Amino acid sequence: MQIRFETSPNFGRRLNSSEEAEYKEILKKGKEKASGSQNGKSILIVPSTSLPNSLSESTGVGLLNQSGEFFDFAKKYWGINEVQILPSGQYHAHKWQYPFYSGTTMDLGNHLIDVKSLVSKEDFQKIVDANKTKDKVNFSNVVDLGSTQEEVLKNLHKNITPELKSEFEKYKLENNAHLEPKGLYRALREIYGEHNYNHWNELDRNLFNEDLVSEAQRAKRIREIYAQKSETIDFYKFKQFLAEKSLKQAKDELNKKGIKLNGDMACGFSFDEVWSHPKAFHNNSTIGWGMPALNLDSKEAENLIREKSNLYARRFDGIRVDAAWTYVAPPVKDELTGAVTKKDYGAKFLDIIDDEVKKVKGNKFNRNDVMHEFAASAEDFNAFEGSRLKPYIEDRVKIYTSDWLSDDWGSADNFKRRGWSQDKFIIGATNHDSAEIKYAETQAESLGKILNIKKEKLKNPIEFLKAKLAEPFGAKNNMVFFMQALGLEGKFKGNSNPSDNYTAKIPENYEEVYIENLQKGKALNPMDALEKQFKAQGLDKTEPELYKKIVKYRKILEQKGGKSSVLVKAGAGIVCAGLIMVGLYKYYSQNKQNCRS
């Protein structure tokens, strides 16, 4: 039998090793010329769960720790220097989906645990075998209480090695203040078979309310809970320890690559956090999205914000402050009466966040690494005083997308014309909340003016997409969502089938998929973006040599490749061995349709 294997069927033209250094330099210089600034942020937004992994080793979620090659790829092609993951708390199912904002604020979720490096091959294989969903994220196999990963981690907890136990005991001593209430909450949830503490008895419901429960009563009841559920409490702490350990290792590896890791600090709080900090919250009130409302006039709320900010500063290089305007003027809605009240706290709590980050970072503190989402409707929050931003907003890094692009909003071009400091805003075509990029006449008119492209041309969906991805390259700091970067089809959220929300996954053969989508014009081609910016700004005339190289590499990335092949003659029993010898087994396993006998 003979097998002919096509080594790069339709994969297009990759950068070769001799081109990579020049491409990197051109990308760097091109961005600087297009924005007029140096040392900008190039951020890739990607949920850690969506990261690629081998189909033969997929537990259901991607892992930061196992994705080094992907980040090398992203840095090479897109020039990224920062990665922003989405909120990292304990996700749970809600209406047939696993929303990232359903998680706890200060916990870390099971999905962050690098289980492969911690358990035996046999136990790891159990988790892989239980994952029946290979082409998208399978949260239930990893985060659910009865999941296979949960059972494997319980076994690791019971049979912990002396070295790991020593680390764990130290971790508990250093972090018990914020771990214990959460562990107790999980123990009581098991005792009552009910997660809503309003359905517990009066003592347990108010265990951390010092006005209703004395210190002696609380201490006695906590001893009783430990006696009944010590294993549950310690196992919760153990999973937090493993997640912290895995996250730190992942951050350290990214930093070695010259990439910062940014965390998304969700604005809300969870049931256990409200239960253990009752004075920090208004009763029966929310700020929207089902999020409990902080009582920002209380010292307890300030302390809770400090604790959350401190934890995020310890875990990440930078922080995305989710819905930052809710720390300025939160709309507090009484869920019983429907009444909404607002109070403007100005910069008070934004300063508190900065203060806590500075305590952790010390001399390495950079205010520009605290990035704020101020995007809100005028009804929710007005960032302006007249035509200018409020001073404390003007002086902070603001995150925007061009989802609402028009002549007077939502573009790098417009923000610069408004006089905004380039150090103080980040813009991208989309983020995790955005709809798919589709032609919109108002946006096409604005893009045409900014990039000097005829509006008629932008009616072509591919040309409109390219223009949308190119516009942020006019900013010093820009970002791209992983689906648009790779050209992946479909929606991240807002799907007609709710169970498809948040489950988009980067395929194992991501480089081949990316290059194929480049040929179709559906993926981010940084050189195409720079070419558009150079032509629009006249840089093709003032920087002709750099412009020629940009065009050269734009064509290389879009170039369709040929089909080279290798003929292997072998008996059926040694075919795979032969493929391994020529380094093709990986491609064979992914592209069996391209092999013919």
Side-chain angles (χ1 to χ4, degrees):
M1 180 176 69
Q2 64 183 23
I3 289 180
R4 181 174 299 278
F5 180 74
E6 293 162 353
T7 59
S8 57
N10 296 316
F11 289 165
R13 170 77 153 79
R14 293 180 180 81
L15 294 175
N16 62 46
S17 57
S18 65
E19 294 167 336
E20 286 180 14
E22 185 179 37
Y23 177 91
K24 177 182 177 182
E25 184 65 18
I26 292 166
L27 182 55
K28 178 177 181 292
K29 287 183 177 179
K31 284 184 173 182
E32 290 174 353
K33 293 294 183 182
S35 67
S37 298
Q38 296 180 334
N39 304 316
K41 295 175 180 288
S42 294
I43 303 173
L44 174 67
I45 305 171
V46 58
S48 63
T49 50
S50 294
L51 288 166
N53 46 26
S54 166
L55 293 181
S56 63
E57 293 187 338
S58 176
T59 62
V61 301
L63 284 168
L64 284 167
N65 308 66
Q66 303 292 332
S67 300
E69 289 184 5
F70 172 75
F71 291 122
D72 288 337
F73 156 84
K75 185 175 182 181
K76 177 173 74 174
Y77 282 102
W78 307 323
I80 68 159
N81 53 27
E82 301 190 16
V83 169
Q84 179 204 302
I85 61 174
L86 296 193
S88 49
Q90 298 271 4
Y91 309 148
H92 61 267
H94 177 70
K95 294 183 179 179
W96 307 286
Q97 56 189 312
Y98 289 81
F100 288 93
Y101 291 88
S102 71
T104 50
T105 304
M106 294 184 285
D107 271 358
L108 291 175
N110 300 349
H111 63 285
L112 290 172
I113 298 173
D114 183 13
V115 67
K116 181 183 177 183
S117 69
L118 292 165
V119 303
S120 69
K121 289 183 179 179
E122 293 75 17
D123 277 347
F124 180 69
Q125 192 60 45
K126 289 178 185 177
I127 306 172
V128 172
D129 291 343
N131 176 27
K132 305 303 182 185
T133 306
K134 302 293 185 180
D135 60 343
K136 58 183 181 179
V137 178
N138 181 3
F139 289 99
S140 63
N141 196 47
V142 171
V143 307
D144 285 0
L145 291 177
S147 67
T148 306
Q149 178 164 306
E150 184 89 348
E151 295 308 309
V152 166
L153 291 176
K154 282 181 180 178
N155 184 53
L156 179 65
H157 181 229
K158 289 177 182 176
N159 299 286
I160 189 170
T161 63
E163 182 181 2
L164 197 61
K165 183 175 178 60
S166 176
E167 284 186 62
F168 178 39
E169 293 301 324
K170 181 184 178 189
Y171 171 81
K172 286 192 289 186
L173 284 173
E174 293 173 348
N175 295 275
N176 196 58
H178 77 266
L179 290 174
E180 183 171 76
K182 288 174 169 289
L184 291 167
Y185 177 87
R186 280 151 183 79
L188 287 167
R189 186 172 64 186
E190 285 187 7
I191 290 170
Y192 286 97
E194 169 61 67
H195 80 279
N196 188 339
Y197 62 86
N198 289 310
H199 299 160
W200 301 350
N201 71 29
E202 186 175 359
L203 174 60
D204 291 339
R205 186 168 66 245
N206 298 295
L207 192 60
F208 284 89
N209 189 330
E210 60 189 28
D211 292 339
L212 301 176
V213 177
S214 69
E215 188 174 339
Q217 285 177 302
R218 180 163 49 256
K220 178 176 181 292
R221 180 54 180 149
I222 287 174
R223 287 194 297 271
E224 292 171 353
I225 297 169
Y226 266 99
Q228 189 175 352
K229 290 288 183 180
S230 61
E231 184 75 9
T232 294
I233 297 169
D234 202 62
F235 182 52
Y236 159 75
K237 295 178 182 179
F238 182 63
K239 288 186 291 182
Q240 290 300 297
F241 160 66
L242 295 181
E244 291 272 14
K245 181 180 176 71
S246 297
L247 183 59
K248 183 181 186 306
Q249 290 170 343
K251 187 177 86 69
D252 289 347
E253 287 303 309
L254 280 170
N255 291 165
K256 288 177 185 176
K257 297 178 185 293
I259 299 172
K260 290 181 177 180
L261 179 62
N262 301 331
D264 191 339
M265 190 171 76
C267 68
F269 291 85
S270 55
F271 262 117
D272 58 356
E273 290 154 0
V274 178
W275 170 73
S276 57
H277 300 85
K279 289 188 176 181
F281 295 88
H282 290 289
N283 291 328
N284 303 312
S285 298
T286 67
I287 56 169
W289 317 291
M291 304 287 190
L294 282 170
N295 177 6
L296 292 177
D297 292 320
S298 69
K299 185 65 177 176
E300 290 82 358
E302 178 182 326
N303 290 340
L304 199 56
I305 291 172
R306 287 187 179 278
E307 182 180 356
K308 178 169 71 169
S309 303
N310 192 283
L311 282 170
Y312 270 77
R314 284 158 48 186
R315 291 168 177 165
F316 298 100
D317 296 304
I319 301 172
R320 174 188 182 270
V321 183
D322 172 48
W325 51 274
T326 62
Y327 298 96
V328 177
V332 179
K333 179 181 179 181
D334 187 315
E335 293 297 327
L336 298 179
T337 66
V340 177
T341 58
K342 282 187 181 182
K343 181 177 178 179
D344 194 330
Y345 293 89
K348 176 181 178 180
F349 293 99
L350 300 180
D351 288 341
I352 284 171
I353 293 170
D354 285 350
D355 184 52
E356 286 302 314
V357 176
K358 191 171 185 177
K359 284 180 185 177
V360 174
K361 303 295 184 183
N363 292 334
K364 294 182 179 179
F365 173 71
N366 183 343
R367 201 181 193 195
N368 291 346
D369 288 332
V370 183
M371 298 156 280
H372 305 78
E373 185 204 16
F374 280 118
S377 69
E379 292 179 359
D380 288 329
F381 178 68
N382 183 9
F384 293 87
E385 289 179 350
S387 62
R388 293 189 62 86
L389 288 167
K390 294 175 180 176
Y392 61 87
I393 295 175
E394 185 175 31
D395 195 37
R396 285 179 160 84
V397 175
K398 302 162 284 295
I399 306 170
Y400 292 101
T401 68
S402 63
D403 286 312
W404 308 106
L405 186 147
S406 65
D407 283 349
D408 61 359
W409 187 254
S411 69
D413 178 76
N414 179 264
F415 294 156
K416 288 193 288 186
R417 283 191 285 110
R418 285 172 177 264
W420 291 13
S421 165
Q422 287 224 67
D423 288 321
K424 300 302 180 182
F425 74 87
I426 302 167
I427 188 164
T430 62
N431 63 16
H432 56 282
D433 285 325
S434 300
E436 290 181 278
I437 296 177
K438 292 185 177 180
Y439 175 82
E441 186 171 0
T442 300
Q443 294 195 24
E445 289 178 353
S446 297
L447 283 171
K449 294 173 186 175
I450 295 167
L451 297 174
N452 195 22
I453 300 173
K454 291 181 179 180
K455 190 176 74 170
E456 291 302 313
K457 184 177 181 180
L458 294 178
K459 288 183 178 180
N460 181 312
I462 294 300
E463 294 302 326
F464 181 78
L465 172 64
K466 287 181 178 180
K468 281 279 285 186
L469 295 177
E471 204 286 325
F473 275 68
K476 175 179 180 177
N477 303 315
N478 48 51
M479 62 188 187
V480 63
F481 190 51
F482 79 101
M483 293 185 71
Q484 278 70 55
L486 286 164
L488 301 181
E489 294 184 353
K491 293 190 285 188
F492 187 65
K493 57 175 287 189
N495 290 284
S496 56
N497 180 4
S499 64
D500 288 335
N501 289 330
Y502 314 102
T503 64
K505 190 170 178 58
I506 297 171
E508 182 180 2
N509 61 332
Y510 51 82
E511 187 168 7
E512 287 78 12
V513 168
Y514 172 63
I515 291 173
E516 183 177 348
N517 286 336
L518 273 177
Q519 296 170 16
K520 299 174 182 177
K522 293 182 177 181
L524 171 65
N525 185 337
M527 294 299 164
D528 178 77
L530 289 175
E531 182 179 347
K532 285 179 167 58
Q533 286 286 350
F534 269 51
K535 288 175 71 175
Q537 297 182 43
L539 293 168
D540 56 335
K541 303 294 191 299
T542 58
E543 299 286 341
E545 292 305 313
L546 181 56
Y547 176 72
K548 286 178 184 177
K549 291 178 180 179
I550 287 170
V551 175
K552 167 189 167 183
Y553 279 99
R554 188 264 296 165
K555 291 178 178 178
I556 285 175
L557 291 183
E558 292 177 350
Q559 182 179 328
K560 289 181 170 61
K563 296 185 179 181
S564 58
S565 62
V566 174
L567 185 67
V568 179
K569 293 183 179 181
I574 62 169
V575 168
C576 285
L579 289 170
I580 291 171
M581 289 175 65
V582 294
L584 299 172
Y585 181 72
K586 177 181 177 183
Y587 294 109
Y588 172 73
S589 66
Q590 295 170 1
N591 299 281
K592 292 179 182 177
Q593 72 275 13
N594 293 312
C595 294
R596 53 184 181 272
S597 57

